[in-house]
């Protein structure tokens, strides 16, 4: 039943795409397309655009009117991919063309090819690009406007108005589930087979098949996303395969999403070879089967009487796919009982996180085949990405009587932060501006915390700079701060150690002064505020440049009477409050200068 429904759903989604309303209205002199359904779903190519994997070249760039325009190549594709990955509804590209785009047909071809190139597996650098955005994008409208023509190039603004199977907010929910799974999964002491089985079982247990999408596919559009599988708990085959893909990528495994016209499943690397996994078909009546877990193509097809597992030609007819995956697909299903395979051996490393040192970090790997501990004669170890913050990797290869490969990831977190200090002119009445020195380790940003009565609270996340203005503070009070750096790996933040605690104080509240006079006397008044004391200055010059007389009164005072003045003389008065905290005196700004002619 489930298999037949997969076919029906695919056909229904193709039909309903025709009726999706325009996302915006464009000027009549600009070329625009109607809604283009993601061609990967429709089992067709966009006009003459190829959907094979591309050999990606660098972009040619030119500057016009302060903007950088890019030809087809990595920079242009990465800009589009970044927008799609963020689920942006509008993605603007400054496109450098060598020929005019003067028809809907050409624009449709161009956008279809750009989409295919931007989601190319060879450009994938994260767990949420490549196949993940390729199969999370429903389709798009597009428009193009020529900004200039010079030197044989057409400078164009190309805009994608994209639709997705989930939203940016829903993707954050997916991130939360993924992080919860990763934080609760200690892969040290497990075999690769056990890890992939855990991912397989987690996906199957997390979701059920969304039969509601049969009657109302567009009303249940989430069912085609990882959000449907991992957060909503209801999805179709596409959601299953996206969830499996995302979790495998997070754990460092090579994985792809494979489709036929009506169905989606996965291809995953294990022990140097590739196997098929279909979590949709293994999730049967709330029971997990393993008929389609790490199987060969022939075993995948054994029970496929409706031919859902025949990959589309674009997978096996491209040079990149064949060299990277196709030639490594095992003709036999995976044998989890063969203890000579490294992927069936348990691998342990001392820690999952290490602090950046500036040098190479090399965790010692312990490998066991069953109860037998392997020796240095049984495997070799190499390390990659192990000198900078981010994910480092232990790569293990069997030798002698052991064959294949295994790996473990470990996080390299930022070093401990140096101390905070107060920025120049950083002390305000209700704010403090903190500064720090960027650590030698590469970081994504910083988390600044302030101690409140209930404990430490984050008051600022900072990226791209080494200062932070902490506002909404009370006047004349001391505050404690600390800071730590973090590195974002995929959608997870890995934090380094805190700095030492830094204490600073805001300025006390500035008084507002009124003046009265009587014979040879001036009385300065102000409202009661929290202060340790007040400093009053009087002068016959409004810039207080000479002959300044200073008085001090207690913090409980609200006035100061200044006597023995000269009559018919103009005096200038100003007041500021102060507090003494831990032996240091903190002053408020001076009040506005007031003048009065003494009687």
């Amino acid at each position: 039943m489930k298999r037949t429904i997969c076919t029906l759903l695919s056909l229904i989604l193709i039909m309903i795409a025709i009726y999706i309303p325009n996302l915006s209205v464009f000027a009549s002199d600009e070329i625009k397309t109607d809604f283009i359904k993601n061609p990967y779903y429709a089992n067709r190519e966009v006009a003459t655009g190829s959907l094979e994997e591309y050999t990606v070249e660098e972009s040619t760039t030119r500057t016009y009117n302060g903007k950088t325009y890019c030809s087809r190549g990595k920079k242009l594709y990465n800009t589009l991919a970044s927008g799609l990955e963020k689920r942006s509804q509008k993605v603007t590209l400054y496109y450098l063309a060598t020929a005019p785009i003067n028809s809907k047909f050409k624009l449709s071809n161009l956008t279809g090819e750009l989409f295919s190139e931007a989601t190319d597996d060879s450009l994938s650098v994260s767990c949420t690009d490549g196949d993940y955005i390729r199969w999370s994008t429903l389709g798009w409208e597009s428009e193009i406007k020529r900004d200039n023509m010079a030197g044989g190039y057409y400078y164009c603004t190309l805009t994608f108005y994209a639709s997705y199977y989930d939203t940016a907010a829903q993707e954050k929910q997916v991130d939360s589930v993924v992080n919860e799974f990763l934080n609760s999964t200690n892969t040290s002491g497990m075999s690769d087979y056990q890890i992939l089985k855990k991912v397989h079982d987690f996906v199957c247990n997390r979701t059920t098949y969304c039969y509601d999408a049969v009657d109302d596919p567009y009303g249940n559009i989430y069912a085609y996303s990882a959000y449907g599988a991992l957060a909503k708990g209801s999805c179709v085959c596409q959601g299953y395969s996206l969830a499996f893909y995302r979790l495998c990528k997070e754990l460092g495994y090579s994985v792809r999403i494979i489709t036929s016209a009506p169905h989606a499943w996965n291809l995953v690397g294990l022990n140097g070879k590739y196997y098929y996994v279909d979590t949709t078909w293994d999730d049967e009546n709330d029971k997990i089967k393993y008929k389609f877990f790490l199987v060969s193509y022939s075993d995948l097809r054994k029970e496929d009487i409706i031919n859902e597992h025949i990959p589309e030609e674009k997978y096996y007819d491209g040079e990149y796919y064949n060299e990277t995956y196709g030639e490594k697909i095992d003709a036999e299903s995976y044998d989890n009982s063969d203890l000579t395979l490294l992927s069936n051996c348990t691998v342990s490393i001392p820690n999952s996180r290490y602090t950046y040192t500036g040098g190479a970090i090399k965790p010692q790997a312990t490998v066991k085949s069953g109860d037998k501990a392997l020796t240095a004669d049984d495997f070799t170890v190499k390390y990659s990405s192990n000198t900078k913050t981010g994910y480092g990797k232990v790569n293990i290869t069997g030798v002698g009587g052991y064959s294949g490969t295994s790996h473990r990831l470990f996080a390299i977190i930022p070093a401990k932060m140096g101390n905070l200090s107060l920025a120049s002119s950083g002390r305000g009445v209700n704010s403090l501006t903190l500064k720090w020195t960027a650590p030698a380790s590469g970081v994504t940003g910083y988390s600044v915390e302030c101690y409140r009565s209930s404990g430490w609270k984050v008051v600022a996340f900072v990226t791209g700079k080494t200062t932070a203005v902490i506002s909404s503070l009370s006047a004349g009070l001391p505050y404690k701060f600390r800071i730590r750096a973090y590195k974002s790996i995929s959608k997870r933040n890995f934090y380094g150690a805190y700095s030492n605690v830094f204490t600073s104080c805001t300025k006390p509240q500035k008084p507002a002064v009124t003046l009265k006079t009587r014979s040879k006397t001036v009385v300065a008044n102000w409202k009661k505020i929290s202060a340790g004391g007040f400093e009053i200055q009087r002068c016959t010059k409004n810039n207080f440049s000479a002959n300044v007389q200073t008085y001090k009164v207690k913090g409980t005072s609200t006035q100061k009477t200044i006597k023995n003045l000269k009559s018919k003389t103009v005096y200038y008065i100003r007041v500021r409050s102060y507090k003494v905290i831990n032996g240091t005196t903190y002053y408020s700004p001076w009040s506005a200068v007031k003048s009065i002619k003494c009687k």
Side-chain angles (χ1 to χ4, degrees):
M1 179 66 175
K2 185 189 299 181
R3 302 168 192 175
T4 304
I5 288 171
C6 284
T7 305
L8 293 174
L9 281 176
S10 179
L11 295 174
I12 293 170
L13 271 178
I14 294 169
M15 296 298 295
I16 65 168
I18 300 172
Y19 299 99
I20 294 177
N22 290 340
L23 299 179
S24 58
V25 179
F26 306 104
S28 60
D29 60 343
E30 296 173 349
I31 300 172
K32 68 163 188 170
T33 64
D34 297 322
F35 186 87
I36 299 174
K37 185 171 174 62
N38 182 338
Y40 286 88
Y41 299 109
N43 195 26
R44 61 175 173 83
E45 298 180 356
V46 178
T48 58
S50 171
L51 297 182
E52 296 178 1
E53 304 288 355
Y54 285 78
T55 301
V56 183
E57 300 177 349
E58 298 294 338
S59 295
T60 298
T61 60
R62 295 286 187 274
T63 300
Y64 168 70
N65 207 18
K67 298 172 183 175
T68 300
Y69 290 74
C70 302
S71 69
R72 289 171 66 157
K74 286 185 179 180
K75 191 168 184 178
L76 186 72
Y77 306 153
N78 286 337
T79 301
L80 177 56
S82 177
L84 298 173
E85 192 172 2
K86 295 173 183 175
R87 302 298 188 270
S88 300
Q89 294 182 340
K90 178 181 177 181
V91 183
T92 300
L93 305 178
Y94 297 106
Y95 175 50
L96 190 67
T98 56
I101 308 299
N102 51 17
S103 69
K104 284 187 176 182
F105 178 78
K106 288 185 177 181
L107 181 55
S108 175
N109 286 350
L110 173 64
T111 57
E113 290 176 3
L114 290 182
F115 175 79
S116 188
E117 292 157 349
T119 59
D120 191 292
D121 178 70
S122 66
L123 281 181
S124 177
V125 295
S126 78
C127 303
T128 52
D129 60 6
D131 280 357
Y132 195 78
I133 50 175
R134 176 173 286 184
W135 296 101
S136 296
T137 305
L138 174 61
W140 61 85
E141 286 181 332
S142 60
E143 66 174 337
I144 193 166
K145 180 180 70 173
R146 193 182 77 187
D147 301 323
N148 189 34
M149 187 181 78
Y153 289 106
Y154 296 83
Y155 295 77
C156 305
T157 299
L158 174 60
T159 307
F160 277 75
Y161 295 87
S163 297
Y164 306 93
Y165 288 103
D166 61 357
T167 66
Q170 290 170 342
E171 268 299 295
K172 287 185 178 180
Q173 294 184 54
V174 174
D175 297 339
S176 179
V177 175
V178 169
N179 290 341
E180 181 181 348
F181 173 78
L182 295 174
N183 290 334
S184 64
T185 302
N186 182 7
T187 60
S188 185
M190 297 176 66
S191 68
D192 289 318
Y193 172 81
Q194 290 169 336
I195 293 170
L196 290 180
K197 183 174 179 291
K198 188 176 181 69
V199 173
H200 170 276
D201 292 356
F202 181 78
V203 172
C204 291
N205 285 323
R206 188 80 189 185
T207 191
T208 57
Y209 197 82
C210 183
Y211 291 99
D212 288 342
V214 178
D215 297 325
D216 185 12
Y218 196 69
N220 296 280
I221 204 73
Y222 67 84
Y224 292 79
S225 68
Y227 166 77
L230 297 179
K232 190 80 171 176
S234 178
C235 69
V236 295
C237 57
Q238 187 168 304
Y240 278 93
S241 59
L242 279 164
F244 186 82
Y245 175 92
R246 171 75 184 271
L247 292 171
C248 286
K249 289 273 278 190
E250 294 278 1
L251 292 166
Y253 292 94
S254 177
V255 61
R256 296 297 305 272
I257 295 175
I258 307 296
T259 66
S260 60
H263 191 48
W265 65 100
N266 296 98
L267 182 71
V268 65
L270 183 64
N271 214 55
K273 298 181 179 180
Y274 282 86
Y275 303 90
Y276 293 103
V277 175
D278 191 335
T279 48
T280 309
W281 281 27
D282 271 345
D283 185 16
E284 193 169 302
N285 298 323
D286 296 327
K287 294 181 180 179
I288 299 177
K289 305 287 183 69
Y290 298 97
K291 291 182 179 180
F292 304 95
F293 177 59
L294 300 177
V295 295
S296 64
Y297 184 65
S298 60
D299 284 345
L300 183 71
R301 295 295 313 282
K302 278 183 179 179
E303 295 192 19
D304 187 6
I305 59 175
I306 56 176
N307 294 328
E308 285 199 354
H309 290 102
I310 301 178
E312 293 177 276
E313 184 178 353
K314 58 178 172 279
Y315 292 107
Y316 55 80
D317 197 32
E319 182 179 348
Y320 170 84
Y321 177 84
N322 271 327
E323 289 183 357
T324 309
Y325 305 103
E327 294 173 1
K328 300 175 185 177
I329 298 174
D330 201 338
E332 302 292 333
S333 293
Y334 184 75
D335 182 4
N336 67 304
S337 66
D338 186 351
L339 294 182
T340 66
L341 301 180
L342 255 292
S343 50
N344 285 329
C345 296
T346 62
V347 177
S348 302
I349 58 176
N351 296 296
S352 61
R353 300 186 186 191
Y354 294 84
T355 299
Y356 172 85
T357 63
I361 296 175
K362 299 180 177 181
Q364 183 68 41
T366 301
V367 184
K368 288 185 177 182
S369 176
D371 295 329
K372 177 186 176 183
L374 274 60
T375 69
D377 295 330
D378 299 317
F379 63 92
T380 61
V381 177
K382 290 185 178 181
Y383 300 88
S384 57
S385 304
N386 64 326
T387 60
K388 299 179 180 179
T389 53
Y391 269 144
K393 198 171 186 178
V394 184
N395 301 290
I396 304 163
T397 303
V399 295
Y402 295 89
S403 63
T405 62
S406 183
H407 75 270
R408 288 298 176 272
L409 299 179
F410 57 93
I412 303 177
I413 64 176
K416 179 180 178 178
M417 283 292 296
N419 291 339
L420 288 163
S421 61
L422 194 66
S424 178
S425 303
R427 194 185 314 281
V429 175
N430 299 112
S431 67
L432 292 168
T433 302
L434 307 178
K435 67 177 183 178
W436 58 89
T437 301
S441 56
V443 302
T444 303
Y446 309 90
S447 173
V448 181
E449 297 182 8
C450 179
Y451 188 82
R452 308 289 194 183
S453 59
S454 58
W456 290 99
K457 301 291 183 183
V458 175
V459 291
F461 276 107
V462 181
T463 58
K465 56 183 181 179
T466 55
T467 60
V469 179
I470 313 302
S471 55
S472 301
L473 303 177
S474 298
L477 290 180
Y479 289 91
K480 295 179 180 180
F481 299 96
R482 65 183 185 183
I483 186 173
R484 57 178 176 169
Y486 67 89
K487 177 72 174 182
S488 293
I489 308 174
S490 187
K491 297 295 185 71
R492 306 171 72 194
N493 290 340
F494 290 83
Y495 290 89
Y498 285 107
S499 66
N500 294 331
V501 174
F502 170 67
T503 301
S504 191
C505 183
T506 53
K507 291 181 177 180
Q509 187 176 347
K510 180 174 70 173
V513 180
T514 59
L515 303 178
K516 293 182 180 180
T517 183
R518 52 182 183 265
S519 178
K520 296 183 180 181
T521 301
V522 170
V523 179
N525 293 277
W526 57 87
K527 292 182 178 180
K528 184 177 181 179
I529 58 177
S530 175
F534 296 90
E535 188 174 88
I536 303 95
Q537 288 188 340
R538 60 97 169 163
C539 190
T540 55
K541 295 184 177 183
N542 62 2
N543 61 359
F544 292 81
S545 59
N547 300 320
V548 178
Q549 184 67 48
T550 301
Y551 313 89
K552 286 189 175 182
V553 297
K554 295 180 180 181
T556 55
S557 301
T558 58
Q559 69 172 220
K560 171 62 180 175
T561 301
I562 306 172
K563 300 179 180 180
N564 302 321
L565 303 178
K566 294 180 180 180
S567 63
K568 298 183 180 180
T569 300
V570 175
Y571 287 94
Y572 297 90
I573 309 292
R574 63 183 182 181
V575 181
R576 64 179 177 178
S577 63
Y578 66 87
K579 278 189 173 184
V580 179
I581 300 174
N582 296 328
T584 301
T585 302
Y586 299 94
Y587 291 94
S588 78
W590 286 106
S591 68
V593 175
K594 295 297 180 78
S595 64
I596 194 167
K597 189 174 184 179
C598 188
K599 289 183 179 180

